[in-house]
Amino acid sequence: GIPTGMVQFKANGENLGAPVMLSGGIATASTASLAAGTYTVTAEYGGDDFFNPSSGTLMGGQTVNKANQSIAFPAIGDQETTNQVGLAATASSGLAVAFAVFSGPASISDLTNLIFTGSVSIVASQSGNGNWNAAPNVTHEFNVIPPLAPEIGSASVNVREGGEGRFLVRLTREPATES
């Protein structure tokens, strides 16, 4: 005959979901709830009218490996020395991404605000956790340029009797603005 009834799967003695009904004498189970690590997996059969209860353990256990992850970190365009850049990147794992100045005269304030004064490389990293491997670092390099200074197109000075005067300057280029 073919056994009928239910099988309870366990990992390290803890139930993996609800008992599973045998189908053709076979029970299968899958789960995404196990963290990375090694588990002793056991199947406990409750028996039926013709077959006695029994249990079996997976030889060698079951190993759940850490998952790989990656970082999406958009490139940073060239910046003026007066700019401040908010850094943003995401890890495919959903874990927080850390930033560091890889090279160049820059600093990071409040974990994501980049302040700089020269050519800079920034690295985004995610060190992983119990379920995720460390992501490969992503590094972006960009140049820091001084802001464009306005050019004086013309200037004139009008002085009235008694020393009161006006000074007029016409700019031929708009001053740079922060981006």
Side-chain angles (χ1 to χ4, degrees):
I2 298 175
T4 61
M6 307 291 277
V7 173
Q8 176 65 63
F9 289 94
K10 296 184 175 196
N12 293 347
E14 299 292 323
N15 289 347
L16 286 175
V20 177
M21 179 70 71
L22 284 169
S23 175
I26 299 171
T28 60
S30 64
T31 183
S33 66
L34 293 177
T38 301
Y39 297 86
T40 300
V41 177
T42 305
E44 295 180 351
Y45 171 58
D48 65 13
D49 292 341
F50 302 101
F51 293 90
N52 291 326
S54 63
S55 66
T57 300
L58 179 65
M59 292 292 288
Q62 176 66 49
T63 299
V64 177
N65 295 318
K66 289 183 178 185
N68 291 325
Q69 61 174 328
S70 61
I71 295 173
F73 181 30
I76 302 167
D78 289 350
Q79 300 291 318
E80 292 182 354
T81 55
T82 56
N83 291 359
Q84 183 171 337
V85 176
L87 299 172
T90 55
S92 59
S93 63
L95 297 171
V97 175
F99 298 99
V101 176
F102 183 72
S103 67
S107 63
I108 296 175
S109 65
D110 297 326
L111 302 177
T112 61
N113 293 319
L114 177 63
I115 302 164
F116 41 80
T117 57
S119 182
V120 175
S121 290
I122 299 297
V123 63
S125 62
Q126 207 313 303
S127 59
N129 66 9
N131 291 317
W132 293 90
N133 290 316
N137 289 344
V138 177
T139 303
H140 289 304
E141 185 172 329
F142 59 95
N143 293 313
V144 180
I145 55 177
L148 293 175
E151 292 180 5
I152 298 175
S154 63
S156 63
V157 178
N158 295 323
V159 180
R160 296 185 187 179
E161 200 174 303
E164 181 182 318
R166 291 175 39 196
F167 181 75
L168 175 66
V169 176
R170 256 186 230 290
L171 303 177
T172 58
R173 180 175 24 205
E174 291 290 321
T177 57
E178 289 188 26
S179 56

